[in-house]
Amino acid sequence: MGLILETKRLRLRELEADRDAQFVCELLNTPKFIKYIGDRGVRSTDDARDFIADRYAASYRDHGYGLYAVETLDCTKVGICGFVKRDYFDHPDIGFAFLPEHEGRGYGKESAAAVMHFGREKLGFTKVLGITSLDNETSAGLLVKNGFQDDGIIEPQGEKLRMFSYTFDQ
């Protein structure tokens, strides 16, 4: 599928093992990613290639969506944004992460709003979830700015998390 969508400042496209391995390795090893999302054990570009194939490409194939590379119109890779399908939820959840040097520029809000529109219009979603760690105020704020409601604390697999949801108007 390649290119998923374009906004005024950004392009979102499927992640590709050879093209994006170095970027994914860097992103997954940032302190905030490890703290708020988790250590994925990706330590090299070879690990990242495998991770892209096993996780991101598999999601595109199995679910028709996933997490996408977010890049500026000049092709600078700034982060990822898209949807995750978890076995223990009935609806997809939105996910996003950005390299530290690109935070605070509105890319999160812009890409999240764009993928939400894509989710409704192209994927037919009626509801999208958002999940954050209890102390991740930045991500919680981004979800609220994009119209999500705070549904409180959940423990889907023994870990306390904040749950947010967005139900599209019918």
Side-chain angles (χ1 to χ4, degrees), residues 10-13 15 23-24 27 67-72 76-81 96-99 102 107 111:
L10 304 171
R11 262 189 215 103
L12 279 74
R13 61 169 177 77
L15 288 151
F23 161 69
V24 167
L27 179 67
L67 291 167
Y68 306 112
V70 178
E71 54 189 24
T72 60
T76 300
K77 298 169 190 168
V78 299
I80 58 175
C81 185
F96 43 82
F98 294 87
L99 292 170
H102 299 292
Y107 296 149
S111 60

Side-chain angles (χ1 to χ4, degrees), residues 5-11 71-73 110 114:
L5 61 90
E6 193 169 297
T7 70
K8 243 170 69 173
R9 302 185 302 158
L10 304 171
R11 262 189 215 103
E71 54 189 24
T72 60
L73 298 182
E110 185 173 336

Side-chain angles (χ1 to χ4, degrees), residues 43-132:
R43 299 292 180 259
S44 68
T45 53
D46 286 338
D47 291 345
R49 276 187 201 88
D50 291 343
F51 191 85
I52 291 167
D54 296 343
R55 298 283 288 271
Y56 301 139
S59 183
Y60 308 146
R61 180 189 67 239
D62 297 345
H63 306 297
Y65 58 84
L67 291 167
Y68 306 112
V70 178
E71 54 189 24
T72 60
L73 298 182
D74 69 359
C75 298
T76 300
K77 298 169 190 168
V78 299
I80 58 175
C81 185
F83 301 109
V84 177
K85 178 63 181 118
R86 300 179 200 275
D87 294 338
Y88 48 90
F89 291 134
D90 292 335
H91 302 282
D93 66 270
I94 191 169
F96 43 82
F98 294 87
L99 292 170
E101 62 268 28
H102 299 292
E103 292 176 352
R105 298 181 183 181
Y107 296 149
K109 186 174 188 313
E110 185 173 336
S111 60
V115 297
M116 289 295 289
H117 180 78
F118 175 76
R120 179 182 183 173
E121 298 301 318
K122 302 291 186 197
L123 301 173
F125 294 162
T126 57
K127 183 175 186 174
V128 174
L129 306 175
I131 303 151
T132 69

Side-chain angles (χ1 to χ4, degrees), residues 86 88-93 127 129-135 143 149-165:
R86 300 179 200 275
Y88 48 90
F89 291 134
D90 292 335
H91 302 282
D93 66 270
K127 183 175 186 174
L129 306 175
I131 303 151
T132 69
S133 58
L134 297 181
D135 60 344
L143 291 168
Q149 73 176 32
D150 188 338
D151 294 332
I153 297 173
I154 60 166
E155 291 187 56
Q157 295 187 309
E159 179 185 9
K160 286 187 178 185
L161 301 167
R162 285 176 71 182
M163 170 71 85
F164 296 82
S165 65

